[in-house]
Amino acid sequence: MWSFLKPPAYKADLPQQEVDASYKRLRWQVFVGIFIGYAGFYIVRKNFSMAIPELAQFGFEKGELSIVLSMNAVAYALSKFLMGSVSDRSNARVFLPLGLFLTAVSMMFMVVPVVAFGPENKFWAIVLMTVLNFLVGWFNGMGWPPCGRVMTHWFSQNERGTMMSIWNCAHNVGGALVGPMAVYGAMWFGSWFYGADTTRYFLIGTYVFPAAVAMLVALIAFVLIRDTPQSCGLPSIEKYRNDYPKNYSAKSEEVLSTKEIFFKYVFNNKMLWFIAIANAFVYMVRYGCLDWAPTFLKEAQGYDIKQAGWAYFAYEFAAIPGTLVCGWLSDKVFKGGRALTTIIFMAIVAVFILLYWQFSDNYMLVTLSLIAIGFFIYGPVMLIGVQALDLAPKNAAGTAAGLTGFFGYFFGTAILANIVMGYVAEMAGWDWTFILLLIACGLSIFFTSFTYKEEKHLLQQKKN
């Protein structure tokens, strides 16, 4: 591993009278750092989706562009898992900004295939787009694991659900900025680069402007984030709050080898496998509803693009309060019970998917159903990540979360939500896609239920 990524050495302990004030200040500082930093990743995440309609005027077709689009999810799934193990052995303060900077550079270069190759050399333009969008997805996978590492070192298990729910809103904040950035970036800076050729302004708004902002965010994140409390002369969070989980030991503060992380704490942890499989079906529902809503509402129900767009926005916006409520419930009402909270939320999601399906000709009910699905689905998305952190030692947290993320994005998103649902809609009709979504809800509940008893046992032992 490169030396500049190595975790910083522990500093000498601060005087006891300084510990409390320093801990409180630094906890909020690093939290703001990972919130802003993770939001930055979503500024340069799925920008290619917004460019697709504009690329049509250059002779690029939807079929070939869909290949480019899929590379983002595939790369992200692999990276979140594999780079998670690197993150567990790296300085989060360096790892996260580095990943964001490399993502931004890759996004900025997405201009090149259109400008340098264009439709005259379409094959090579598509190849370069595919490689660059793969890199965007790969470097984006360096965002979640260091945030998970920071969370486990600076926030104890009993408060993690609430704090993770707040932090998880960062991706909604970052994602919501992509649209306005594309519009205003093109308006403000398009003429600087392309003069009167307005057909190319979108390249600046969609790619270059967000990438430049992401680079600035990377610098801010580097200034704010700290790796571990011990690297700042502070005690571990468990000692500071007197909050020790059952699987805690002194070894939890050590940097583990790759072999130990994978084969001792991740691959042989059957509870992690259960929630990873559950996560695939949660993500199938998340992106199955989100990605296909505009197409379904426009093609099957005749809604115009404005109506479909507002329904899409409502789905995403509802995620913020839903995630916060879910995290609070799991911490305060269910006392750390992530599995039960996930099961309840997924059951409610199934009810609203049924309403969405059966009353899809009623725009008001469709919008309300999508708001409800967005409100309830993002809680389980967040909680499964929290549960992965709870079930693994904190020095293997990035890899554990990476395993669940791999299943969510590779199997749940790229294969089930995108490919399977797309072909089912085309060959069997939209009704069967809703049946698949309801089955996915049931399977997510089924696999999550396997962790309920073990989680309850761990929480009970902690009380004793």
Side-chain angles (χ1 to χ4, degrees):
M1 186 170 64
W2 294 329
S3 58
F4 73 90
L5 283 178
K6 289 178 65 175
Y10 289 179
K11 289 185 178 179
D13 293 347
L14 290 176
Q16 189 60 40
Q17 64 270 23
E18 297 180 21
V19 168
D20 189 57
S22 296
Y23 228 119
K24 289 176 179 176
R25 175 178 59 82
L26 285 172
R27 265 161 51 100
W28 283 111
Q29 178 180 313
V30 297
F31 182 82
V32 171
I34 62 173
F35 187 97
I36 293 173
Y38 197 60
F41 278 96
Y42 272 81
I43 291 173
V44 281
R45 175 75 181 276
K46 291 204 168 190
N47 307 52
F48 186 74
S49 299
M50 297 200 64
I52 288 176
E54 301 296 331
L55 289 170
Q57 64 185 318
F58 290 91
F60 296 103
E61 299 172 5
K62 290 179 183 177
E64 55 200 12
L65 294 177
S66 69
I67 298 172
V68 181
L69 183 64
S70 67
M71 286 299 102
N72 189 282
V74 171
Y76 184 80
L78 292 168
S79 176
K80 191 174 179 182
F81 180 41
L82 297 175
M83 297 304 282
S85 66
V86 179
S87 171
D88 284 328
R89 296 176 291 114
S90 300
N91 183 352
R93 185 186 186 190
V94 176
F95 193 86
L96 185 148
L98 175 64
L100 182 52
F101 180 81
L102 293 174
T103 305
V105 171
S106 303
M107 182 63 72
M108 196 172 283
F109 271 88
M110 290 289 282
V111 172
V112 175
V114 180
V115 174
F117 293 99
E120 300 82 10
N121 299 284
K122 189 162 67 169
F123 173 78
W124 291 111
I126 290 294
V127 169
L128 185 54
M129 284 183 196
T130 302
V131 171
L132 287 170
N133 210 29
F134 183 92
L135 290 175
V136 168
W138 183 269
F139 293 132
N140 242 286
M142 295 174 67
W144 207 107
C147 293
R149 174 178 171 85
V150 166
M151 272 292 176
T152 56
H153 281 278
W154 287 92
F155 298 92
S156 66
Q157 188 171 352
N158 278 344
E159 58 182 345
R160 206 173 291 152
T162 301
M163 297 308 297
M164 284 285 287
S165 68
I166 299 171
W167 167 79
N168 200 63
C169 295
H171 79 264
N172 298 106
V173 173
L177 291 174
V178 173
M181 278 187 169
V183 173
Y184 290 105
M187 287 171 53
W188 294 339
F189 307 111
S191 61
W192 290 14
F193 293 85
Y194 298 114
D197 185 3
T198 58
T199 61
R200 296 176 186 266
Y201 283 13
F202 80 96
L203 295 171
I204 304 304
T206 305
Y207 297 138
V208 178
F209 181 48
V213 173
M215 290 178 181
L216 176 61
V217 171
L219 178 61
I220 295 171
F222 177 77
V223 171
L224 294 175
I225 295 172
R226 298 293 182 270
D227 188 55
T228 64
Q230 293 93 324
S231 68
C232 301
L234 298 168
S236 70
I237 186 62
E238 289 79 10
K239 183 177 180 181
Y240 173 67
R241 298 190 79 241
N242 192 28
D243 184 8
Y244 292 90
K246 179 178 178 289
N247 61 357
Y248 179 83
S249 68
K251 193 172 176 63
S252 296
E253 306 301 335
E254 299 176 8
V255 177
L256 302 176
S257 68
T258 302
K259 183 178 179 180
E260 282 182 300
I261 291 171
F262 278 107
F263 294 102
K264 188 173 181 180
Y265 295 109
V266 175
F267 284 162
N268 69 344
N269 188 334
K270 64 180 182 181
M271 294 299 116
L272 279 177
W273 286 101
F274 284 137
I275 63 171
I277 296 170
N279 203 37
F281 294 111
V282 169
Y283 269 71
M284 180 184 178
V285 176
R286 173 190 179 183
Y287 284 109
C289 288
L290 182 67
D291 288 349
W292 292 107
T295 306
F296 168 70
L297 295 175
K298 189 172 184 293
E299 290 185 359
Q301 299 301 330
Y303 294 166
D304 62 37
I305 194 63
K306 184 178 179 181
Q307 289 175 306
W310 276 112
Y312 184 99
F313 170 80
Y315 180 96
E316 275 286 347
F317 186 78
I320 296 176
T323 303
L324 296 174
V325 169
C326 186
W328 180 84
L329 285 172
S330 74
D331 271 351
K332 304 301 181 183
V333 177
F334 297 110
K335 308 299 182 185
R338 322 299 185 195
L340 183 57
T341 315
T342 296
I343 289 169
I344 292 171
F345 270 54
M346 289 307 298
I348 297 172
V349 167
V351 172
F352 282 101
I353 287 175
L354 187 62
L355 289 174
Y356 176 32
W357 174 23
Q358 295 300 315
F359 296 95
S360 56
D361 58 344
N362 185 315
Y363 182 69
M364 183 61 69
L365 280 176
V366 161
T367 304
L368 290 175
S369 295
L370 282 172
I371 289 172
I373 295 169
F375 184 95
F376 288 103
I377 191 62
Y378 278 91
V381 167
M382 176 271 301
L383 270 191
I384 285 179
V386 178
Q387 199 173 6
L389 301 182
D390 291 346
L391 291 172
K394 63 183 181 179
N395 46 10
T399 310
L403 178 67
T404 64
F406 175 77
F407 271 74
Y409 280 97
F410 187 82
F411 294 109
T413 305
I415 294 178
L416 294 174
N418 293 346
I419 298 174
V420 171
M421 284 192 62
Y423 275 105
V424 167
E426 183 177 336
M427 299 174 68
W430 286 106
D431 283 349
W432 278 100
T433 65
F434 284 98
I435 292 171
L436 286 179
L437 290 174
L438 291 171
I439 291 172
C441 288
L443 289 172
S444 69
I445 292 171
F446 176 73
F447 284 102
T448 301
S449 67
F450 283 110
T451 69
Y452 172 73
K453 187 175 180 181
E454 176 67 14
E455 185 183 65
K456 189 175 181 181
H457 173 69
L458 290 174
L459 291 170
Q460 191 61 42
Q461 281 207 340
K462 186 179 175 183
K463 289 179 182 177
N464 299 334

